[in-house]
Amino acid sequence: MSTQARSVHKNSVTSYIFAVFFLLLGWEILARILNSPALPEPLPALIQFIRIFPQGLWEHFLVSTYRVVLSLFLGIALAVPLGLYIGREEKVDSFLAPHVYLLYPIPKIALLPVIFIIFKIGDTSKIFLITLIIFFQILVTTRDAAKKVPPASIISVLSLGASRWEIYRNVIIPACLPEIFTAVRISLGTAISVLFFAESFATIKGLGYFIFETWSRISYTEMFAGILALSLLGFFLFLLIDFLQRLLCPWLYV
Amino acid sequence: MLTLNKVSLTYKNGKNAVPALEDINLNIIKGKSYAVIGPSGCGKTSLLYLMAGLIQPTAGEIRLAGKGSGKPQQKTALILQEYGLLPWKTVWDNAALGLKFRNVVGEEAQKILYPIFEELELTECLRRYPSQLSGGQKQRVALARALALRPELLLMDEPLSALDALTRENLQELILKLWVRHHITLILVTHSIEEAVYLGQEIIILSPRPGKIRAVVTNPGMGSKEYRHNQLFHQKCSEIRSILEENGQSEHTSQVCS
């Protein structure tokens, strides 16, 4: 099994290299067609990235990483237990579902001014906004996953004398984990978009700020170095989520 | 060891009450084996859940060895139709689950489980997940999990229905062997006449919904591996089939009437 796993791993590394190559190729072609300073060619942007990352871009990178990771963590910590609970408790769900359905479609990003007033303009307001948005995504997915846990699994464990908590631990949580991971992956994309928006004003740190600032200086290669940094942030977190899924859901990879 | 006294069960479906079982009287004797057979939807599975203490009757009472049945019983083990294994647990963890809930872990659990794994020829696949097992292996894991609890009463819900003919026969022989060796009381729900006759000392025939006991047929010939090839076996099968066919007609009539 391990040789098989290794060869799969090797394949995925090769396919990543191919994907990077084709992305860069597409970028190069598009840049040549547009022929605009707003879209520099990949090579100058990459050189700029390598040049300015150690000079100070890393600091923006770290601040943004901190904000996204903490928001994701808070979103998961709040939404997963609640989703699992209301997914299994019909009465609670029928009470909460209308609230969730009314709140879910509200463009919470538009609440940013209010959030700034409540939490001031520091990290808290940004983290709160991201957490608020991804909370609903994860909550709805987790609840729906918890609802469709096969009754046979629960009955078989009940017949073995499991307590309520043991049913959660041994059946409901593991049954929902793959879908929770999917929700977290989707939320990661959302979190980075919201982060970019939230960092676009009232801050002097973060990749969103860096991109807007270089844009205002019409320094497009620097701006693209910032965009690359933001993409890398997303990519690394994606890999981290994959790694955690392999760790927590080994049965999916046999 | 288990008595059902005028047991009825009605499901509530919105405002409608759907009767599933009606006036079931049974006296399950320790160490015997019972097969429950009847048309689909006659409440066979509900009957098993009642005996396992997973659901409560709407009327009548169920008594296990003198005590009233309440929660799932310590002495009872239940094997479900699709084996009821958890896909996220290895063979070992699936089999050890019931013990874990009774706080039997570590060496103590190993001491109980290893002989069972050996008996059921599962030692090769203890680290595998259910998705890596054949249907027959899954069924043996479900048996291991049940036997680990050293049950006095083993309830099985169409345990072999998803298996191919040969695996099915092998497992029927295995169940027979385990029943003899472990002195368990066995109650097996099945829709196969041959399986009922091969494994049931008493064959309980249910009528269509709401399920009532139509007949209890004694089957003294069972108990040996070779019974399947015996003339008596085939006679018994025909006997059961003719009772079930009468049932089928009454099902038809009741449908026409309603």
Side-chain angles (χ1 to χ4, degrees):
Chain A
M1 194 194 89
S2 64
T3 37
Q4 201 186 350
R6 232 175 286 142
S7 79
V8 168
H9 188 66
K10 209 169 142 192
N11 279 344
S12 74
V13 169
T14 335
S15 53
Y16 270 120
I17 292 168
F18 270 107
V20 169
F21 173 76
F22 281 114
L23 275 176
L24 289 177
L25 187 71
W27 179 359
E28 180 77 41
I29 291 167
L30 194 65
R32 287 194 186 187
I33 292 170
L34 280 180
N35 194 21
S36 150
L39 185 64
E41 287 169 19
L43 197 61
L46 279 172
I47 291 170
Q48 184 70 297
F49 173 78
I50 293 163
R51 197 177 66 81
I52 64 172
F53 193 81
Q55 285 175 8
L57 184 56
W58 65 271
E59 212 185 327
H60 297 289
F61 184 86
L62 280 189
V63 169
S64 291
T65 308
Y66 162 72
R67 287 171 180 160
V68 169
V69 170
L70 187 60
S71 308
L72 273 176
F73 177 78
L74 287 174
I76 295 167
L78 294 169
V80 168
L82 187 63
L84 290 173
Y85 179 67
I86 60 179
R88 298 306 310 172
E89 303 290 326
E90 258 175 59
K91 279 183 190 159
V92 184
D93 186 43
S94 64
F95 172 73
L96 282 179
H99 297 77
V100 173
Y101 280 70
L102 286 174
L103 287 173
Y104 185 59
I106 294 177
K108 285 160 281 285
I109 203 155
L111 297 174
L112 188 61
V114 186
I115 292 168
F116 272 157
I117 289 170
I118 301 171
F119 295 102
K120 310 297 178 229
I121 53 174
D123 272 347
T124 320
S125 54
K126 296 171 184 63
I127 290 165
F128 181 83
L129 180 69
I130 303 172
T131 307
L132 181 69
I133 291 173
I134 62 170
F135 169 80
F136 282 96
Q137 291 183 347
I138 300 173
L139 178 74
V140 172
T141 316
T142 308
R143 183 202 62 169
D144 291 352
K147 270 190 180 179
K148 56 176 212 270
V149 172
S153 299
I154 293 170
I155 289 170
S156 81
V157 174
L158 261 181
S159 75
L160 294 170
S163 68
R164 210 176 141 87
W165 162 240
E166 281 164 338
I167 291 172
Y168 268 98
R169 228 194 97 158
N170 292 286
V171 183
I172 295 166
I173 294 174
C176 295
L177 264 183
E179 281 175 76
I180 292 171
F181 271 106
T182 305
V184 171
R185 273 194 202 93
I186 294 168
S187 298
L188 172 64
T190 314
I192 289 175
S193 308
V194 178
L195 171 89
F196 175 69
F197 175 74
E199 285 182 341
S200 64
F201 47 89
T203 182
I204 51 161
K205 291 252 169 66
L207 291 170
Y209 161 76
F210 181 84
I211 292 166
F212 272 95
E213 198 269 332
T214 49
W215 184 17
S216 70
R217 285 196 281 111
I218 331 181
S219 174
Y220 289 122
T221 52
E222 273 192 87
M223 183 183 88
F224 261 82
I227 293 173
L228 270 177
L230 197 57
S231 313
L232 280 177
L233 167 60
F235 180 66
F236 287 138
L237 289 180
F238 229 87
L239 288 184
L240 178 71
I241 294 169
D242 268 9
F243 171 74
L244 288 176
Q245 183 166 10
R246 277 175 184 277
L247 204 69
L248 294 175
C249 309
W251 69 94
L252 296 177
Y253 300 92
V254 292
Chain B
M1 74 176 298
L2 182 72
T3 348
L4 284 81
N5 191 7
K6 292 182 182 164
V7 166
S8 293
L9 180 71
T10 310
Y11 284 115
K12 280 205 179 85
N13 184 4
K15 280 181 183 172
N16 299 332
V18 184
L21 291 166
E22 216 171 83
D23 197 27
I24 304 283
N25 293 296
L26 273 176
N27 186 19
I28 305 294
I29 293 158
K30 197 172 168 169
K32 276 191 130 178
S33 82
Y34 298 81
V36 181
I37 193 166
S40 42
C42 71
K44 297 192 290 277
T45 300
S46 301
L47 182 62
L48 218 52
Y49 285 2
L50 279 170
M51 295 201 246
L54 286 169
I55 49 177
Q56 299 303 317
T58 27
E61 63 167 1
I62 298 171
R63 292 188 159 271
L64 184 81
K67 283 187 292 181
S69 177
K71 280 187 162 183
Q73 298 294 336
Q74 293 269 326
K75 293 173 184 168
T76 311
L78 172 69
I79 296 181
L80 295 172
Q81 217 162 3
E82 297 289 325
Y83 321 116
L85 301 180
L86 304 177
W88 40 86
K89 290 192 185 284
T90 58
V91 167
W92 175 278
D93 288 340
N94 261 298
L97 201 56
L99 291 175
K100 199 171 110 185
F101 295 151
R102 290 172 196 191
N103 294 319
V104 181
V105 285
E107 260 180 55
E108 215 181 324
Q110 283 179 13
K111 241 185 258 171
I112 297 173
L113 286 169
Y114 263 121
I116 296 172
F117 286 138
E118 266 168 25
E119 185 175 14
L120 298 178
E121 295 167 23
L122 284 168
T123 43
E124 300 292 306
C125 49
L126 297 181
R127 294 190 167 278
R128 287 194 211 156
Y129 288 96
S131 65
Q132 298 169 292
L133 303 176
S134 69
Q137 284 171 324
K138 284 183 198 169
Q139 189 53 66
R140 279 185 277 141
V141 178
L143 276 168
R145 182 165 78 180
L147 290 178
L149 300 174
R150 293 178 175 145
E152 288 180 15
L153 177 64
L154 179 60
L155 306 164
M156 303 179 95
D157 188 10
E158 300 194 14
L160 311 175
S161 56
L163 301 171
D164 64 85
L166 215 62
T167 314
R168 206 182 152 96
E169 286 193 5
N170 284 335
L171 274 162
Q172 284 169 352
E173 283 167 20
L174 179 68
I175 292 171
L176 192 67
K177 212 165 74 182
L178 294 173
W179 171 65
V180 173
R181 202 181 293 168
H182 293 259
H183 313 288
I184 318 171
T185 314
L186 178 69
I187 301 177
L188 173 111
V189 161
T190 177
H191 59 231
S192 151
I193 295 171
E194 284 76 16
E195 190 165 291
V197 176
Y198 189 68
L199 290 173
Q201 270 179 317
E202 307 255 335
I203 300 158
I204 300 161
I205 302 170
L206 294 183
S207 66
R209 184 169 284 245
K212 290 179 197 170
I213 293 179
R214 177 82 181 213
V216 179
V217 177
T218 50
N219 181 26
M222 72 73 74
S224 79
K225 207 173 133 180
E226 291 72 32
Y227 185 44
R228 219 193 287 283
H229 311 292
N230 194 314
Q231 187 58 35
L232 275 171
F233 176 82
H234 299 290
Q235 279 170 10
K236 206 46 106 179
C237 285
S238 315
E239 187 185 337
I240 305 289
R241 184 166 288 119
S242 63
I243 299 174
L244 277 168
E245 272 165 4
E246 280 170 44
N247 260 331
Q249 274 172 2
S250 67
E251 180 180 31
H252 183 70
T253 331
S254 72
Q255 272 171 357
V256 170
C257 294
S258 62

